[in-house]
Amino acid sequence: MEAKTHYEQLGGEATIKKLVDIFYDLVKQNPILSPMFPEDMTETRENQYMFLTQYFGGPPLYSEKKGHPMLRARHMRFDITREKAEAWLSCMEQALDKVGVEGTLREEIWGRLVYTAYHMQNQ
C-alpha cells in the first residue's frame, strides 16, 4: 500500500483552499503582518494555494505556473524578522486549528512550516 501525501491526508484541494482563506483572513487582522500585504490579496491567496498544494505533495501547480518556488529569494524584498515569522506561524497555527488538522499529520506539517518560517527571516 502506497503512503498518502500530506496533501491527500489533508483532503486535497478543498482543504488547502479553506486553509489558505482562513489563514489570510487572520493575516488581514494581524497588525504585524497586514502592512506587508496588498489590500486585494486575490493573487497572494492563489500563490499560497498553489505553493501549499505542491509543498504538501499535491500537483506541482506553483512550479508549473511560476517556476521554482525560490522562497527566500522571492521574499527578500520584505523585512522578515523573527517577530514576523512568529506572527505568520501564529496565523497558520490558528488556521490549522480551524480546519481541524490534528495528530501525526499536524506534527509533520507543523515541523515543515516552522522550519520554513524561520528560514525566511532576513533581518
Side-chain angles (χ1 to χ4, degrees):
M1 182 178 252
E2 191 173 318
K4 287 186 172 184
T5 65
H6 289 148
Y7 176 79
E8 293 166 324
Q9 291 175 60
L10 282 166
E13 178 181 347
T15 304
I16 300 294
K17 283 187 176 186
K18 185 176 179 182
L19 179 67
V20 169
D21 284 341
I22 292 168
F23 172 76
Y24 280 109
D25 288 347
L26 293 165
V27 166
K28 275 188 191 178
Q29 299 169 27
N30 187 293
I32 295 167
L33 297 177
S34 61
M36 295 175 63
F37 291 89
E39 186 70 31
D40 179 1
M41 289 202 281
T42 303
E43 183 178 354
T44 304
R45 288 173 189 256
E46 179 64 16
N47 288 340
Q48 182 75 302
Y49 163 73
M50 291 186 303
F51 174 75
L52 288 180
T53 294
Q54 180 170 323
Y55 189 67
F56 292 145
L61 303 177
Y62 192 93
S63 292
E64 288 172 354
K65 187 168 184 181
K66 297 193 166 271
H68 191 283
M70 302 182 305
L71 286 181
R72 242 179 107 71
R74 290 183 195 267
H75 289 80
M76 206 47 88
R77 64 189 170 116
F78 302 105
D79 292 333
I80 302 176
T81 61
R82 183 172 187 89
E83 179 184 39
K84 289 176 183 173
E86 290 175 355
W88 188 94
L89 285 167
S90 175
C91 290
M92 187 57 77
E93 183 174 38
Q94 292 173 66
L96 289 169
D97 288 344
K98 290 182 180 189
V99 171
V101 181
E102 300 175 331
T104 303
L105 175 61
R106 170 70 171 251
E107 292 171 17
E108 291 171 0
I109 286 173
W110 186 247
R112 294 185 70 195
L113 292 170
V114 168
Y115 172 81
T116 301
Y118 289 125
H119 177 71
M120 301 304 290
Q121 284 182 180
N122 57 27
Q123 297 295 311

